[in-house]
């Protein structure tokens, strides 16, 4: 049954605040940007669920480059006679999100139809969980602001299609690729106090969603979108009337929009005008917000329980199996990497690789940089050596080739083999780097030792050959050899360089030095 | 206008070549050729035939090789890219789908007069009539599945698929003198059935007799993962178990009905019920008693709320389902019941009444509810309920002033709201009526189709015996 009488969540924000249901971290920002004013912000984040398939159909979810209308099933296009079919992968990913945000998973949630009429919504309604969300409550900690932000609820819903207007041809094009993709709407309580905190909230949430593989969380590509509620009030006074700013598609614009909206509301209140409750847009060119519709113009969505979708019952067994498969959260990963002896700087670099996309579609454990690093910590390899190879060589060379980590063709076995060969002196450091570049440019399944052999990069280890090269060098550089024999320091390096050059770098400098010292020792 | 003119659209769609093929002119094809122009039951006729059983499909059920217009101008040129699950199952069973049947637009109506293809004219003619069949009395075939019932009654097909949201199978079956089954909600897949009101819509079967209806029901009653409201196999098995436990007591043969308890719901004899229907109904009840059945009066007190609850729920769901066709043009001129102010008083109130109606049924049945967590047993309960299918015989098409389409459904909507199986079986008219077909409805516990069909077969047998005596 639909609890129709419930006021929509966001409308309860300010009420909750004023009735004192507040936590201890809710200190107002005391900057001098807005002297004598307090700012209250709540955010609704719409995150596309990272599933291969849509929320209620078996159509593939589109990639960035998908041809318009190529990922559309008859259901997505609202063909007569089609019915929804819930994709369990979307449920699991929403549950991961709920667990990560310490939200209270509801054993019973339900789907409603929200009616509105727009050409990119083919059925004339969107299926959403507004009244009976999959999870309620929860919080997320923002380390920089040192603030814990409470979560109101997490709900599942369908994404809409996209409409593009071509003013030259006066043509409205509809692309239904996105129609029916799963979305999570994550609603915060009005716990944010400045545009910068709002920015940190979105970035922190992005990091969490990416780490657990629930969403790509990419604002520029539209897989994460924000609506922001802003109000201002005098200290000690109840919160002011809020305005909602819709469709902000980057953190930078969101911060700018909030700032501009705060100034606008303060200016109105300063002149004795009250702020009308309304929905506003943000003009990226002027940096100002503008009216989209007033409260009176707010549509009646005529919510109705979806008669095709029975309530969603989640058993404790399912919830605990999601919990078991849960990838580590950013804080936990950080802690683990510290225990491996990495520096903060190295951790930051490693975790930022491919924006932290460690997990694949439908929550499958992927091959992100952190996983790659940790998988290489076997065979007594030191974490320092491994992290140096990854950060300085592998990531550097990938960047040089304008490739992302996901495109790394070097398997764990190949990388491990390469590191081991260098460590054991089987190839020299410089040969190792050469081999890595070769493997990046010529992907091959062959083992790295085999590749080193084929390329003639194996270090010249046979003492006979090494001795021969050293004897040759001594013969060619008699003056230097004499100087070494007399104990003049550093001259041995000239001989060493000669040997390295004649061996084309395949000799191990340490072995060469030892051999030269042996040959030139006064005994 | 004496003759019913099928919509120009319908005539255009009847391929003339199929009507002149002489090689394999089966009886149904001859019936289509001779009668469809007058009855307007079929709005599309398939060009080929190969199977042994001929079946027609209501035009709101998707077929990829034939148009699916739902009798609406909105879908005038629509052919679905896929077959409905029920169409697939029919094809797999070796049936020939001979065409698509006329209906009220999107299944909304009780007389099959709201159709872009024009109304369906009941093929029945009183045996005493001296008129030629083609100029017979013009009466409604009932709706919304009028085309399906009329096609079966006219011999154009053996069985027709239809849909029933509030009586759309049982009412036309009663008016046309054929058998109509509305199965339990969730037993037959709705994938490919164009939604009117999803929580009520059921695919139904209209047949010449109980046996052919039952055969097709067995073909179609399969779990389908494409229908999110489809009953799971475990639920089906549970229903089967609970039903057969009770079936064993009696009903092994239609001649001996000892141990069968039939309830007559008192609320199903409203003032609007035509008095000429009561005595044939009594006669059937008496015949069943003679064969050993125990007949008991029962009360379903919430019945009086059924029609109001039904119309709020059905129109709310319909307004939502139809948004895809015209929402952008018409916007929110939809159902008042879903507006923020009216939602509690109308929609939620109707859902509560729906539950009361369901509870009423559950109180009187002997077979425990298989959908309940812990089904309660009621040794004093009845196996099935029996009541007239309609309050009158087929209404005249040309005198529509007196027709209130809403009240036509008064006896059929309670079973729809409760999701229960209901079967309308034709019975012989009494001397005091107009001589047009009548039907009685047998309503059973959820999943008790076998039991409902067995009682239907018993009534069919009673009527056959009587006919042979006459």
């Amino acid at each position: 049954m639909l609890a129709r009488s419930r006021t929509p969540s966001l409308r309860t924000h300010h009420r909750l605040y004023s009735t004192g249901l507040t936590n201890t971290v809710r200190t107002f920002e005391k900057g001098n940007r807005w002297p004598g004013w307090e700012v209250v912000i709540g955010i609704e984040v719409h995150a596309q669920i990272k599933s291969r398939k849509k929320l209620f159909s078996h159509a593939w979810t589109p990639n960035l480059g998908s041809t318009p209308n190529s990922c559309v099933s008859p259901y997505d296009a609202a063909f007569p006679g089609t019915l929804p079919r819930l994709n369990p992968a979307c449920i699991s990913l929403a549950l991961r999100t709920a667990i990560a945000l310490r939200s209270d998973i509801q054993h019973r949630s339900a789907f409603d139809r929200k009616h509105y009429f727009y050409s990119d919504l083919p059925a004339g309604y969107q299926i959403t969980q507004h009244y009976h969300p999959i999870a309620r409550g929860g919080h997320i900690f923002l380390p920089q602001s040192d603030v814990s932000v409470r979560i109101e609820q997490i709900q599942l819903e369908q994404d809409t299609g996209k409409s593009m207007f071509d003013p030259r041809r006066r043509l409205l094009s509809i692309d239904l690729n996105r129609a029916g993709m799963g979305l999570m709407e994550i609603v915060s309580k009005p716990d944010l106090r400045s545009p910068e905190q709002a920015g940190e909230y979105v970035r922190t949430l992005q990091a969490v969603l990416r780490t657990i593989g629930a969403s790509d969380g990419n604002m520029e590509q539209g897989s994460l979108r924000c609506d922001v509620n802003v109000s201002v009030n005098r200290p000690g006074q109840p919160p002011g009337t809020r305005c909602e700013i819709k469709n902000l598609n980057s953190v930078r614009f969101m911060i700018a929009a909030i700032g501009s909206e705060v100034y606008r509301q303060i200016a109105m209140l300063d002149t004795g005008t009250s702020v009308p409750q309304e929905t506003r847009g943000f003009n990226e060119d002027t940096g100002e917000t503008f009216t989209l519709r007033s409260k009176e113009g707010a549509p009646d969505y005529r919510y109705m329980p979806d008669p095709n979708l029975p309530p969603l019952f989640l058993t404790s067994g399912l919830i605990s199996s999601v919990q078991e498969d849960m990838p580590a959260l950013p804080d936990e990963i950080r802690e683990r990497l510290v225990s491996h002896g990495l520096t903060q700087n190295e951790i930051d670099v490693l975790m930022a690789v491919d924006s932290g996309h460690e997990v694949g579609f439908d929550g499958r454990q992927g091959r992100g940089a952190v996983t790659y690093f940790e998988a290489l910590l076997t065979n007594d390899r030191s974490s320092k050596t491994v992290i140096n190879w990854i950060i300085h060589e592998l990531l550097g060379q990938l960047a040089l080739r304008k490739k992302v980590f996901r495109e790394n063709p070097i398997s764990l076995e190949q990388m491990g083999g390469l590191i081991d060969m260098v460590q054991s002196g089987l190839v020299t450091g410089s040969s190792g780097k050469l081999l890595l570049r070769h493997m990046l440019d010529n992907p091959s399944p062959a083992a790295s030792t085999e590749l080193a052999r084929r390329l003639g990069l194996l270090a010249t280890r046979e003492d006979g050959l090494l001795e021969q090269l050293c004897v040759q060098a001594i013969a060619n550089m008699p003056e230097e050899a004499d100087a070494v024999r007399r104990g003049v320091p550093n001259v041995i390096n000239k001989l060493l360089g000669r040997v390295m050059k004649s061996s084309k770098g395949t000799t191990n400098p340490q072995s060469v030095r030892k051999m030269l010292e042996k040959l030139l020792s006064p005994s | 206008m004496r003759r019913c003119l099928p919509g120009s659209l319908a005539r255009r769609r009847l391929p003339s070549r199929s009507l002149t093929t002489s090689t394999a002119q089966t009886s149904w094809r001859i019936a289509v050729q001779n009668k469809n122009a007058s009855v307007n039951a079929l709005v599309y006729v398939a060009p080929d035939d190969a199977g042994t059983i001929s079946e027609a499909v209501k035009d709101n059920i998707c077929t990829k090789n034939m148009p699916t217009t739902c009798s609406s101008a909105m879908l005038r040129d629509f052919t679905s890219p896929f077959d409905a699950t029920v169409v697939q199952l029919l094809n797999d069973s070796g049936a020939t789908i001979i065409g698509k049947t006329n209906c009220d637009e999107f299944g909304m109506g009780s007389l099959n007069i709201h159709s872009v293809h024009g109304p369906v004219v009941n093929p029945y003619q009183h045996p005493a009539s001296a008129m030629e069949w083609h100029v017979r009395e013009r009466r409604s075939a009932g709706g919304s599945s009028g085309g399906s019932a009329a096609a079966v009654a006219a011999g154009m097909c053996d069985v027709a698929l239809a849909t029933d949201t509030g009586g759309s199978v049982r009412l036309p079956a009663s008016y046309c003198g054929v058998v109509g089954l509305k199965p339990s909600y969730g037993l037959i897949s709705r994938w490919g059935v164009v939604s009117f009101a999803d929580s009520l819509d059921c695919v139904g079967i209209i047949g010449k007799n109980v046996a052919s209806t039952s055969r097709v029901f067995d073909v179609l009653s399969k779990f389908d993962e494409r229908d999110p409201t489809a009953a799971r196999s475990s639920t089906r098995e549970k229903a089967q178990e609970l039903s057969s436990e009770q079936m064993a007591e009696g009903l092994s043969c239609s001649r001996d009905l000892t141990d069968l308890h039939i309830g007559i719901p008192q609320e199903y004899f409203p003032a609007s019920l035509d008095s000429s229907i009561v005595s044939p109904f009594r006669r059937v009840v008496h015949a069943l008693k003679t064969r050993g059945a125990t007949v008991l009066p029962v009360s379903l007190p919430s019945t009086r709320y059924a029609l109001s609850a039904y119309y709020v729920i059905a129109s709310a769901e319909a307004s939502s389902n139809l948004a895809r066709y015209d929402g952008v043009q018409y916007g929110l001129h939809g159902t008042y019941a879903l507006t923020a102010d009216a939602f509690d008083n109308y929609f939620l109130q109707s859902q509560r009444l729906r539950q009361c109606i369901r509870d009423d049924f559950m109180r009187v049945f002997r077979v425990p509810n298989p959908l309940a967590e812990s089904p309660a047993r009621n040794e004093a309960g009845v196996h099935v309920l029996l009541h007239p299918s309609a309050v009158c015989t087929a209404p005249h098409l040309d005198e529509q002033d007196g027709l209130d389409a809403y009240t036509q459904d008064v006896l059929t909507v309670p079973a729809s709201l409760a999701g229960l199986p209901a079967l309308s079986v034709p019975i012989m008219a009494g001397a005091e009526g107009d001589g047009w077909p009548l039907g009685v409805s047998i309503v059973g516990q959820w999943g008790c189709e076998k039991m409902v069909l067995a009682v239907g077969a018993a009534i069919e047998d009673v009527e056959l015996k009587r006919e042979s005596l006459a």
Side-chain angles (χ1 to χ4, degrees):
Chain A
M1 201 84 5
L2 187 60
R4 182 63 181 208
S5 51
R6 193 208 317 282
T7 328
S9 56
L10 273 165
R11 301 198 180 136
T12 62
H13 279 179
H14 291 169
R15 189 169 52 75
L16 275 174
Y17 176 68
S18 60
T19 50
L21 289 173
T22 54
N23 60 22
T24 50
V25 297
R26 320 180 84 268
T27 48
F28 286 90
E29 194 200 19
K30 299 253 183 343
N32 52 6
R33 245 182 311 181
W34 301 301
W37 293 98
E38 290 171 346
V39 177
V40 176
I41 303 162
I43 301 183
E44 283 171 51
V45 166
H46 290 88
Q48 266 177 3
I49 301 173
K50 193 172 177 180
S51 171
R52 274 281 179 218
K53 292 189 173 171
K54 295 189 177 181
L55 184 55
F56 294 117
S57 81
H58 274 225
W60 294 107
T61 45
N63 299 319
L64 258 188
S66 295
T67 316
N69 295 310
S70 62
C71 303
V72 185
S73 76
Y75 174 78
D76 305 323
F79 266 56
T82 55
L83 294 168
R85 191 164 146 199
L86 188 59
N87 171 0
C90 289
I91 303 293
S92 302
L93 292 174
L95 291 181
R96 277 191 187 180
T97 307
I99 293 167
L101 300 180
R102 284 148 183 90
S103 189
D104 184 14
I105 293 168
Q106 305 293 297
H107 287 278
R108 181 190 181 279
S109 60
F111 296 97
D112 294 321
R113 291 182 181 179
K114 175 184 180 178
H115 297 89
Y116 64 95
F117 305 112
Y118 201 70
S119 41
D120 56 22
L121 185 70
Y125 59 81
Q126 175 194 30
I127 300 179
T128 154
Q129 285 196 315
H130 192 79
Y131 290 99
H132 296 95
I134 194 164
R136 293 183 192 275
H139 55 88
I140 185 168
F141 181 71
L142 312 185
Q144 275 163 32
S145 309
D146 193 27
V147 160
S148 179
V149 178
R150 292 169 304 160
I151 304 295
E152 170 81 32
Q153 65 178 46
I154 303 169
Q155 67 189 57
L156 287 165
E157 58 188 40
Q158 294 175 303
D159 208 343
T160 62
K162 271 187 209 164
S163 34
M164 292 140 286
F165 185 66
D166 178 354
R168 199 171 47 81
R169 291 191 293 162
R170 301 193 52 73
L171 191 70
L172 182 71
S173 309
I174 308 283
D175 177 6
L176 294 181
N177 276 354
R178 206 180 69 179
M181 280 183 75
L183 285 183
M184 286 178 292
E185 182 176 329
I186 302 166
V187 184
S188 86
K189 296 242 186 201
D191 285 356
L192 298 156
R193 293 293 170 266
S194 71
E196 292 69 29
Q197 272 188 12
E200 193 192 351
Y201 170 76
V202 172
R203 289 201 182 97
T204 312
L205 191 57
Q206 270 177 328
V208 169
L209 295 176
R210 286 170 182 168
T211 316
I212 60 175
S215 174
D216 273 338
N218 193 322
M219 287 189 86
E220 284 69 27
Q221 290 164 10
S223 59
L224 190 134
R225 306 184 292 269
C226 293
D227 300 340
V228 183
N229 282 276
V230 182
S231 73
V232 300
N233 61 275
R234 290 288 188 188
Q237 296 294 308
T241 310
R242 68 186 170 79
C243 285
E244 183 179 16
I245 316 167
K246 279 219 169 282
N247 297 327
L248 296 164
N249 51 22
S250 81
V251 173
R252 199 161 55 87
F253 285 139
M254 184 185 74
I255 290 174
I258 296 171
S260 148
E261 179 60 16
V262 168
Y263 281 120
R264 186 187 73 88
Q265 291 186 12
I266 290 175
M268 286 182 82
L269 294 169
D270 272 341
T271 58
T273 326
S274 60
V275 176
Q277 186 179 332
E278 56 187 14
T279 302
R280 302 180 67 84
F282 179 64
N283 184 329
E284 292 166 8
D285 299 325
T286 63
E288 286 171 348
T289 65
F290 58 91
T291 302
L292 281 174
R293 59 167 187 261
S294 66
K295 190 193 176 194
E296 289 70 38
D300 178 350
Y301 292 119
R302 301 199 174 177
Y303 282 99
M304 180 184 92
D306 192 295
N308 285 319
L309 293 161
L312 177 63
F313 290 101
L314 300 172
T315 60
S316 307
L318 175 79
I319 295 168
S320 51
S321 79
V322 170
Q323 198 135 29
E324 276 161 27
D325 291 345
M326 186 86 178
L329 294 173
D331 290 351
E332 296 163 9
I333 296 176
R334 208 165 263 284
E335 221 168 276
R336 226 169 51 212
L337 292 177
V338 168
S339 76
H340 289 315
L342 299 198
T343 65
Q344 278 308 322
N345 197 15
E346 287 165 341
I347 292 172
D348 288 343
V349 172
L350 201 59
M351 287 183 64
V353 170
D354 286 5
S355 317
H357 291 149
E358 288 278 326
V359 185
F361 281 96
D362 296 317
R364 270 181 219 107
Q365 201 47 258
R367 212 188 69 173
V370 173
T371 318
Y372 196 75
F373 164 74
E374 292 188 313
L376 285 171
L377 293 183
T378 51
N379 279 5
D380 295 326
R381 291 174 203 134
S382 90
S383 62
K384 273 282 165 247
T385 314
V386 173
I387 197 68
N388 281 338
W389 272 102
I390 292 180
I391 292 182
H392 299 299
E393 293 309 318
L394 182 59
L395 295 180
Q397 291 300 325
L398 282 169
L400 210 62
R401 287 161 178 76
K402 297 197 166 46
K403 283 188 170 176
V404 293
F405 187 77
R406 244 173 308 185
E407 296 166 289
N408 169 29
I410 304 178
S411 72
L412 277 171
E413 292 69 29
Q414 289 176 321
M415 192 68 195
L418 169 59
I419 294 172
D420 293 345
M421 281 194 293
V422 176
Q423 285 302 102
S424 66
L426 208 54
V427 299
T428 62
S430 55
S431 294
K433 290 172 190 174
L434 193 69
L435 180 59
L436 181 109
R437 284 169 219 171
H438 174 83
M439 289 195 286
L440 286 176
D441 293 331
N442 309 283
S444 138
S448 31
T449 43
E450 170 61 18
L451 289 171
R453 197 191 53 74
R454 273 191 232 160
L455 293 170
L457 292 175
L458 285 178
T460 316
R461 292 186 67 207
E462 297 82 1
D463 287 350
L465 183 61
L466 191 66
E467 190 173 349
Q468 200 182 327
L469 287 170
C470 290
V471 170
Q472 218 166 0
I474 291 165
N476 289 339
M477 303 171 84
E479 285 171 27
E480 286 83 353
D482 273 346
V484 175
R485 283 192 195 99
R486 289 198 307 271
V488 181
N490 296 334
V491 181
I492 195 164
N493 289 340
K494 285 193 174 178
L495 288 157
L496 198 151
R498 181 71 177 231
V499 176
M500 294 303 290
K501 200 175 171 186
S502 61
S503 75
K504 300 192 185 73
T506 63
T507 42
N508 184 325
Q510 272 83 46
S511 314
V512 175
R513 182 182 289 273
K514 270 191 202 139
M515 179 57 73
L516 286 170
E517 280 167 358
K518 193 177 119 193
L519 290 174
L520 296 172
S521 64
S523 67
Chain B
M1 197 168 58
R2 283 302 300 158
R3 219 175 70 83
C4 162
L5 286 176
S8 56
L9 175 71
R11 271 186 294 157
R12 199 161 23 87
R13 285 217 165 116
L14 291 174
S16 55
R17 140 180 110 78
S18 70
L19 298 180
T20 54
T21 318
S22 59
T23 45
Q25 273 204 345
T26 46
S27 63
W28 67 263
R29 209 166 266 289
I30 296 165
V32 172
Q33 184 175 353
N34 294 340
K35 295 183 175 172
N36 197 48
S38 168
V39 180
N40 194 25
L42 296 175
V43 294
Y44 178 87
V45 177
D48 57 338
D49 54 297
T52 45
I53 299 172
S54 55
E55 319 224 16
V57 175
K58 188 175 177 182
D59 209 25
N60 63 348
I61 298 176
C62 291
T63 42
K64 64 180 180 211
N65 298 323
M66 304 179 200
T68 301
T69 69
C70 298
S71 291
S72 173
M74 191 59 79
L75 295 176
R76 191 183 283 269
D77 300 311
F78 178 67
T79 300
S80 176
F82 57 88
D83 275 335
T85 302
V86 286
V87 170
Q88 253 174 30
L89 289 169
L90 276 191
N91 281 330
D92 294 349
S93 75
T96 301
I97 295 175
I98 63 147
K100 302 297 289 281
T101 59
N102 205 342
C103 57
D104 281 304
E105 189 167 0
F106 289 107
M108 286 181 255
S110 301
L111 296 164
N112 209 145
I113 51 177
H114 304 295
S115 165
V116 74
H117 308 292
V120 176
V121 183
N122 199 316
Y124 185 79
Q125 189 179 29
H126 196 280
S129 170
M131 278 190 283
E132 248 194 86
W133 179 80
H134 283 95
V135 292
R136 70 195 178 281
E137 198 179 352
R138 280 168 49 80
R139 292 220 195 178
S140 165
S144 68
S145 313
S148 293
V152 172
M156 297 180 195
C157 56
D158 299 316
V159 177
L161 293 194
T163 61
D164 189 315
T165 305
S168 284
V169 159
R170 293 159 282 163
L171 205 59
S174 178
Y175 290 169
C176 292
V178 291
V179 171
L181 171 67
K182 179 208 94 75
S184 309
Y185 182 82
L187 283 189
I188 299 187
S189 169
R190 289 188 297 117
W191 173 260
V193 177
V194 180
S195 297
F196 160 9
D198 302 271
S199 75
L200 295 155
D201 291 345
C202 290
V203 174
I205 301 151
I206 294 176
K208 280 196 181 77
N209 51 43
V210 173
S212 56
T213 305
S214 178
R215 264 199 303 278
V216 174
F217 170 74
D218 288 341
V219 168
L220 302 183
S221 178
K222 302 267 156 60
F223 171 72
D224 178 15
E225 59 175 5
R226 285 172 294 186
D227 177 358
T229 56
R232 304 254 146 209
S233 304
S234 54
T235 315
R236 288 164 197 261
E237 282 157 22
K238 189 172 165 193
Q240 181 74 37
E241 207 174 285
L242 292 170
S243 162
S244 51
E245 253 174 47
Q246 300 291 336
M247 286 275 281
E249 292 178 21
L251 276 178
S252 48
C253 127
S254 55
R255 303 280 155 76
D256 177 14
L257 301 177
T258 318
D259 295 335
L260 174 68
H261 289 68
I262 298 174
I264 310 292
Q266 293 165 357
E267 292 79 5
Y268 283 58
F269 297 84
S272 55
L273 183 70
D274 196 302
S275 57
S276 66
I277 290 174
V278 179
S279 62
F281 179 77
R282 282 213 179 102
R283 178 182 52 73
V284 171
V285 170
H286 180 75
L288 294 172
K289 270 186 186 168
T290 313
R291 294 192 178 195
T294 307
V295 178
L296 303 161
V298 297
S299 177
L300 303 169
S302 303
T303 304
R304 60 200 175 106
Y305 305 118
L307 210 54
S308 332
Y310 170 80
Y311 274 101
V312 169
I313 294 168
S315 39
E317 291 187 23
S319 80
S320 173
N321 284 325
L322 297 183
R324 67 189 62 195
Y325 306 108
D326 58 10
V328 172
Q329 279 78 22
Y330 295 100
L332 281 165
H333 295 285
T335 301
Y336 170 72
L338 289 180
T339 56
D341 297 336
F343 189 83
D344 277 1
N345 285 337
Y346 289 81
F347 193 79
L348 286 188
Q349 182 64 9
S350 299
Q351 297 288 6
R352 285 189 278 268
L353 289 173
R354 185 176 188 175
Q355 190 54 48
C356 293
I357 289 159
R358 231 180 252 141
D359 294 343
D360 273 3
F361 279 112
M362 294 310 125
R363 266 193 295 274
V364 301
F365 281 129
R366 176 173 291 237
V367 182
N369 177 11
L371 303 177
E373 296 252 328
S374 48
R377 289 182 187 275
N378 175 12
E379 298 304 331
V382 296
H383 290 98
V384 293
L385 297 168
L386 191 70
H387 62 79
S389 297
V391 292
C392 58
T393 55
H396 291 269
L397 274 179
D398 304 321
E399 303 162 16
Q400 280 169 24
D401 292 350
L403 296 180
D404 185 348
Y406 291 106
T407 59
Q408 304 286 313
D409 295 334
V410 66
L411 301 179
T412 49
V413 294
S416 293
L417 287 167
L420 301 177
L423 176 77
S424 179
V425 177
I427 61 168
M428 289 176 75
E432 61 277 68
D434 58 11
W436 277 67
L438 297 174
V440 292
S441 282
I442 304 127
V443 177
Q445 178 59 280
W446 191 94
C448 289
E449 268 74 2
K450 285 270 175 288
M451 184 183 285
V452 165
L453 287 161
V455 176
I459 294 172
E460 201 172 52
D461 191 60
V462 164
E463 295 299 287
L464 275 174
K465 288 288 170 312
R466 191 179 144 81
E467 198 176 12
S468 60
L469 281 175

